Amino acid sequence: MASDENLERALNAALEADTRVNLHRNAIRLEVRSGRAQLNGEAVEMRAKRAATAIVSGFPGILAFEDHIRVRPAEVMGDGAIRDRLRDILTSEPVFARHDIRIAHNDGSLEVVREIADCQGAITFNVREGRVRLEGDVFSLSHCRLAEVLAWWIPGTTEVENRLSEPDRIDNDGEVADAVKLVLEKDRWVDASRITVRAENFCVILAGNVPSREQRDAAEHDVWYVDGVRDVSNELIAP
């Protein structure tokens, strides 16, 4: 079994070599203890966080892994503003129309935002220092992933801890592709009808024709926010 020092050295070399991670731009730190790896620090973009996670979590010799990389916020927002924005997003999102919504405040109190008879699930969330924590149960894996993406899309969010549970379903490429399609449909700046999505070994391939390079880049940017995505191949054609 490789020593922690050797594992850390090999992993740092792998992270350094990956242009998606770009350790010169993203302040990502690795620590290995007793075969358990932890990533900390701040990433400028989600792509770096997801790529680093994929490298470390699947590395031979790593027994367990924790990802605590924060993403630099696009906008400075207080916890109250993030909380209010997420409340409004979840209550107005049609996918969660039959879900109870609750806020777990930092003083220990629980605020019931919406309670529905014969609901399909429930989402409870908390916001502390820019970190969003999601708990409860939702209807599907796609619902679980969408809730996380919606939390990430709030400009002030720096980290999302997704502890939502869903019906027992085996995660696979099809589930990831379904979640990506759902997320793209939620981005009003992207015409999802022009984009085909498939996944191979949790790597997402985007194909089709879009009207601009900005939309091409926006689609790829969206995909990186979907939990479980290990890589993105952007084959979209733009003028």
Side-chain angles (χ1 to χ4, degrees):
M1 181 177 176
S3 68
D4 289 344
E5 183 178 349
N6 288 337
L7 277 172
E8 194 167 304
R9 186 182 299 112
L11 274 168
N12 274 319
L15 292 170
E16 182 75 32
D18 196 304
T19 57
R20 300 167 305 171
V21 178
N22 193 347
L23 292 180
H24 300 288
R25 186 165 184 256
N26 298 282
I28 295 173
R29 303 186 305 275
L30 168 73
E31 183 178 309
V32 180
R33 291 184 179 179
S34 302
R36 301 173 182 273
Q38 186 175 106
L39 285 170
N40 296 288
E42 183 183 69
V44 175
E45 57 187 3
M46 180 60 74
R47 181 177 73 161
K49 174 182 171 73
R50 295 296 194 208
T53 297
I55 290 169
V56 176
S57 63
F59 203 82
I62 294 300
L63 305 177
F65 167 68
E66 292 182 12
D67 170 25
H68 296 294
I69 299 172
R70 304 186 77 177
V71 177
R72 185 177 299 173
E75 177 184 323
V76 177
M77 296 177 66
D79 287 349
I82 296 173
R83 183 176 60 246
D84 292 348
R85 183 82 64 88
L86 184 55
R87 176 201 62 206
D88 294 345
I89 289 171
L90 292 176
T91 52
S92 63
E93 172 52 55
V95 167
F96 299 118
R98 293 182 60 193
H99 286 64
D100 292 345
I101 306 295
R102 306 184 184 100
I103 301 173
H105 291 281
N106 293 327
D107 62 3
S109 63
L110 186 67
E111 176 185 348
V112 177
V113 177
R114 183 176 69 200
E115 197 166 45
I116 299 173
D118 192 28
C119 66
Q120 287 185 331
I123 299 175
T124 300
F125 70 89
N126 167 267
V127 182
R128 186 188 295 270
E129 297 180 351
R131 297 179 173 94
V132 176
R133 180 185 174 103
L134 300 169
E135 296 180 302
D137 55 274
V138 291
F139 184 67
S140 70
L141 279 171
S142 292
H143 284 64
C144 181
R145 286 181 160 115
L146 176 63
E148 179 175 338
V149 172
L150 294 176
W152 273 119
W153 278 355
I154 297 172
T157 298
T158 62
E159 190 174 349
V160 179
E161 182 181 0
N162 191 349
R163 293 187 173 272
L164 290 170
S165 60
E166 68 290 320
D168 288 335
R169 297 187 185 182
I170 298 174
D171 202 5
N172 53 42
D173 287 335
E175 292 285 355
V176 170
D178 286 345
V180 168
K181 292 173 187 175
L182 184 59
V183 166
L184 292 175
E185 289 171 358
K186 299 302 174 182
D187 188 344
R188 61 192 180 98
W189 302 109
V190 173
D191 185 352
S193 67
R194 292 173 171 262
I195 302 172
T196 60
V197 178
R198 71 180 193 278
E200 298 177 1
N201 297 319
F202 295 90
C203 298
V204 173
I205 300 98
L206 300 176
N209 293 272
V210 291
S212 68
R213 293 182 181 180
E214 289 77 13
Q215 193 166 139
R216 180 182 188 274
D217 294 342
E220 179 178 341
H221 188 258
D222 288 345
V223 176
W224 281 111
Y225 280 93
V226 178
D227 182 49
V229 171
R230 298 181 63 85
D231 201 0
V232 182
S233 178
N234 193 343
E235 299 176 5
L236 291 170
I237 298 172

